[in-house]
Amino acid sequence: MVKEKLVLEINDLVVNYETDNGTVHAVNGINLKLKQKQSVGIVGETGAGKTTTALAILNLIPQPTGIIKNGTIIVDGKNMLTISESDLRMMRGKGVSMIFQDPMTALNPVFTIGEQIAESVRIHEGVSNKDAMQRAIEMLEIVGIDKDRAYDYPHQLSGGMKQRVVIAIALACQAKLLIADEPTTALDVTIQAQVLELIRSYREKYDTAMILITHDLGIVAETCDEVAVMYAGVIVEYGTLEDIFNRTKHPYTEGLFNSLPNIIERRSKLTPIPGMVLDPTILPDGCVFADRCSYVIDTCRTTFQKDIAVSDTHIVRCSRYQEPGFNIKRMIA
Amino acid sequence: MKGLRKERGSSGFWGEVLKEFKKNKGAVTGFIVFSLIVLVAVLAVFLLDYKTQITKINIPEALQPSSWKHPFGTDQFGRDILNRILYGAHYSLLIGLCAVTISTAIGSMLGIIAGYFGGLVETIIMRTMDVISPIPSVLLAICIASAFGQSLISLMLAVGIVTVPAFARVARASVMSVREEEYIEAAKAIGASDINIIVKHVIPNSLPPILVQATMRVASAIIVGSSLSFLGLGVPAPKPEWGGMLAQGRSFLNTSTNMTLYPGLAIMITVLAINLIGDGVRDAMDPKLKR
């Protein structure tokens, strides 16, 4: 296999938030590699560190509480954590761009949407205001908004249209890596489908790599090549769509699937994962999922969990896979 | 391209504010009265002669009651009170507007810097403000007047400097809430610089409370300015500053009420008009009262 150029390489990233109530261990040593055109979905429940990871890629962890303790983040050959402030600004928007979660608040209410799309073009392409506006209007047409609306203010647009504007801003400079932080959570299902289709067709055109952050496994199945399942700041399972959906290994991933409605056995009850998300100020010695896991044994709580490669593409962080013959019980329908 | 905007009828935030302001009858009245006062003040400066009509002593006509020749009567030196009030309008307006401009400019700038950057910068700026704010404006005016001499400019400075902390606090609070908005994060994510973010995103969105504060403060600056003149610390004597005229009239309160009544009314009407405008601006910009 020819070694492809990596668009994103995260090595052993650790992010803490130092608060008055103690240190919150938001991200605890994650590794992630992303090639051109590739898309990876990061799934996990609220507080798993998904958004923190995304912000860390842009080096936008809220200061002064957020501290990147360890690790390197290399985007397109540049280390986002060590490059100069001006290089960093160039990388934001041009190298990596981000689609924000809530379109209602991600737009500035006092400027027209055209001006807001043009802003990013102006910053990165060094073009005149008029040309930037022209590009903004083109972008609006790409995301399917009539060009007349370029002079509208955010409050004159519906939620779905605002999200398209947010996407247009993110796409305007043709970044190599697109981070979509729950781009569809604020939208209803039909608009969701349109937005995902929009992102998909754009990525095909410009070969953009993407990180999709979501807790909707359905969206992941539809748009991603690979999946990272995050829990308490750790990637507990990583693999291709097939690996995660059909050859599930980690008990947490199993729990996620069990909490989804079963389309074949419609009468079956949902099986939620027992217990609560780990208190993020306490970092256990052993497995982060031990307290809620139904396969837990004593050594899980004391031994540091290492990544175990199940196949070339499939990695699981569960020490029980060192035991011969161990597997979770999940039935594949 | 501009035409497009008109066709679609997007009025934007300021258009909405103007529309709300127009609906408010009190505010419109205040605005009309205030415009008249400004007009009168400007005309008086050009049409009335300072030497012959404002300060010329004419003892035979001293302390006259209202008449056709002197509608508001005359003071103890025989000077026409109406002329003096008309001419004096520009002092009060200048003090009010300039003092507020000074304090808005300095105060908001400090507040925006403190609110946006936070940390040590914020601590230094805001604690300095805390030190300045308890100084009474009268005391500061005495200091400034004794340091730079008694003049209109030192009065403006005194009134302006005392209100700087108020603007710094309002601006800081406003910026702090805007700073947390997602569009600021989004602007950072597309690579905008701090200056760019402050100018394009932070200032326009944190402006409304600052503007409301500024309008309200004009009225109180006029009052403070007049009180300082009343105490003899403001505009020096022969100049017909309203507060100074009040002080003069005080000794003739029993015999010639005109000398205190009309300057007092002038101050009251001006301040009332400005406060009505201020209320209107506040209501028009308050998103909670809208729709």
Side-chain angles (χ1 to χ4, degrees), chain A residues 123 165 176 184:
Chain A
I123 290 167
V165 173
K176 299 215 165 51
T184 56

Side-chain angles (χ1 to χ4, degrees), chain A residues 55 58 60 89 92-93 96 100-102 105-112 119-120 122-124 134 148-149 151-153 156 169, chain B residues 1-2 4-5 8-13 16 181-183 185-194 196 199-202 204-205:
Chain A
L55 291 177
L58 283 157
L60 264 182
R89 283 207 299 270
R92 293 173 180 163
V96 199
F100 282 84
Q101 188 170 352
D102 187 357
T105 56
L107 294 173
N108 185 337
V110 302
F111 287 106
T112 64
E119 185 181 10
S120 126
R122 203 163 42 233
I123 290 167
H124 293 291
Q134 201 52 49
D148 284 357
R149 307 215 65 165
Y151 297 96
D152 276 356
Y153 288 88
Q156 292 166 304
I169 294 173
Chain B
M1 278 198 182
K2 288 274 180 224
L4 261 172
R5 169 182 292 183
R8 289 210 41 86
S10 332
S11 49
F13 176 72
E16 294 277 316
E181 293 285 346
E182 210 170 25
Y183 54 79
E185 197 174 28
K188 281 184 189 158
I190 60 166
S193 61
D194 280 335
N196 197 325
V199 173
K200 287 206 68 179
H201 300 279
V202 174
N205 282 296

Side-chain angles (χ1 to χ4, degrees), chain A residues 51 99-103 106 163 166 181-186 215, chain B residues 182:
Chain A
T51 303
I99 298 172
F100 282 84
Q101 188 170 352
D102 187 357
Q163 185 60 285
V166 171
D181 186 2
E182 307 194 22
T184 56
T185 354
H215 30 232
Chain B
E182 210 170 25

Side-chain angles (χ1 to χ4, degrees), chain B residues 73-215:
Chain B
T74 57
D75 65 6
Q76 82 268 39
F77 300 114
R79 299 176 293 201
D80 185 82
I81 293 177
L82 177 62
N83 280 355
R84 285 175 66 80
I85 286 176
L86 296 182
Y87 193 86
H90 80 275
Y91 294 119
S92 288
L93 294 182
L94 274 181
I95 293 163
L97 296 175
C98 293
V100 167
T101 310
I102 293 170
S103 51
T104 311
I106 301 176
S108 325
M109 201 177 71
L110 292 174
I112 287 165
I113 292 170
Y116 184 78
F117 291 105
L120 187 64
V121 185
E122 183 183 23
T123 311
I124 293 171
I125 292 177
M126 295 322 288
R127 292 304 78 79
T128 313
M129 293 298 113
D130 289 348
V131 171
I132 295 174
S133 62
I135 300 176
S137 50
V138 176
L139 193 64
L140 192 69
I142 296 172
C143 298
I144 290 179
S146 54
F148 302 106
Q150 204 181 16
S151 72
L152 195 59
I153 297 194
S154 40
L155 184 58
M156 287 171 190
L157 276 178
V159 178
I161 288 171
V162 176
T163 38
V164 163
F167 279 99
R169 290 204 185 107
V170 170
R172 169 175 164 268
S174 182
V175 167
M176 281 173 84
S177 69
V178 171
R179 189 183 64 180
E180 300 304 319
E181 293 285 346
E182 210 170 25
Y183 54 79
I184 302 293
E185 197 174 28
K188 281 184 189 158
I190 60 166
S193 61
D194 280 335
I195 304 276
N196 197 325
I197 292 173
I198 290 178
V199 173
K200 287 206 68 179
H201 300 279
V202 174
I203 293 181
N205 282 296
S206 40
L207 213 49
I210 298 174
L211 279 183
V212 171
Q213 175 82 353
T215 342

Side-chain angles (χ1 to χ4, degrees), chain A residues 13 125 166 169 176 185 264 271 301:
Chain A
L13 179 71
E125 317 270 309
V166 171
I169 294 173
K176 299 215 165 51
T185 354
I264 296 158
T271 324
R301 299 183 194 275

Side-chain angles (χ1 to χ4, degrees), chain A residues 50-278:
Chain A
K50 308 186 297 281
T51 303
T52 302
T53 308
L55 291 177
I57 296 173
L58 283 157
N59 198 355
L60 264 182
I61 299 286
Q63 300 290 341
T65 45
I67 293 162
I68 298 178
K69 274 272 187 225
N70 188 24
T72 52
I73 297 171
I74 294 160
V75 179
D76 201 25
K78 294 194 182 71
N79 188 338
M80 294 294 278
L81 304 180
T82 54
I83 58 175
S84 71
E85 184 68 22
S86 63
D87 286 348
L88 185 62
R89 283 207 299 270
M90 281 315 289
M91 285 304 285
R92 293 173 180 163
K94 191 80 184 152
V96 199
S97 66
M98 184 155 172
I99 298 172
F100 282 84
Q101 188 170 352
D102 187 357
M104 309 298 164
T105 56
L107 294 173
N108 185 337
V110 302
F111 287 106
T112 64
I113 56 170
E115 282 167 345
Q116 296 190 51
I117 302 171
E119 185 181 10
S120 126
V121 179
R122 203 163 42 233
I123 290 167
H124 293 291
E125 317 270 309
V127 295
S128 71
N129 283 0
K130 212 180 142 210
D131 291 348
M133 203 62 196
Q134 201 52 49
R135 264 289 286 287
I137 288 171
E138 283 165 28
M139 284 315 298
L140 277 181
E141 283 181 331
I142 290 176
V143 297
I145 294 177
D146 194 85
K147 64 169 186 256
D148 284 357
R149 307 215 65 165
Y151 297 96
D152 276 356
Y153 288 88
H155 72 268
Q156 292 166 304
L157 269 57
S158 72
M161 289 174 92
K162 276 186 217 172
Q163 185 60 285
R164 286 158 192 251
V165 173
V166 171
I167 291 172
I169 294 173
L171 301 183
C173 285
Q174 287 143 27
K176 299 215 165 51
L177 171 65
L178 183 66
I179 302 170
D181 186 2
E182 307 194 22
T184 56
T185 354
L187 307 173
D188 63 59
V189 192
T190 44
I191 306 292
Q192 244 182 45
Q194 290 173 15
V195 164
L196 290 176
E197 174 57 29
L198 180 73
I199 296 176
R200 195 192 58 76
S201 65
Y202 179 88
R203 286 188 49 231
E204 250 166 36
K205 205 166 153 193
Y206 294 100
D207 294 343
T208 318
M210 177 170 79
I211 294 178
L212 179 79
I213 296 171
T214 181
H215 30 232
D216 189 333
L217 287 161
I219 291 175
V220 170
E222 211 167 290
T223 47
C224 298
D225 309 323
E226 298 195 344
V227 188
V229 181
M230 270 189 95
Y231 182 79
V234 175
I235 294 179
V236 291
E237 189 168 5
Y238 186 92
T240 61
L241 271 186
E242 281 281 299
D243 291 335
I244 302 292
F245 281 72
N246 294 341
R247 292 185 288 273
T248 314
K249 291 291 180 203
H250 198 278
Y252 177 63
T253 319
E254 178 194 33
L256 282 184
F257 282 114
N258 285 343
S259 3
L260 291 178
N262 188 335
I263 201 162
I264 296 158
E265 190 64 57
R266 280 173 184 261
R267 281 160 179 270
S268 68
K269 286 207 171 131
L270 300 182
T271 324
I273 304 171
M276 293 282 288
V277 185
L278 199 69

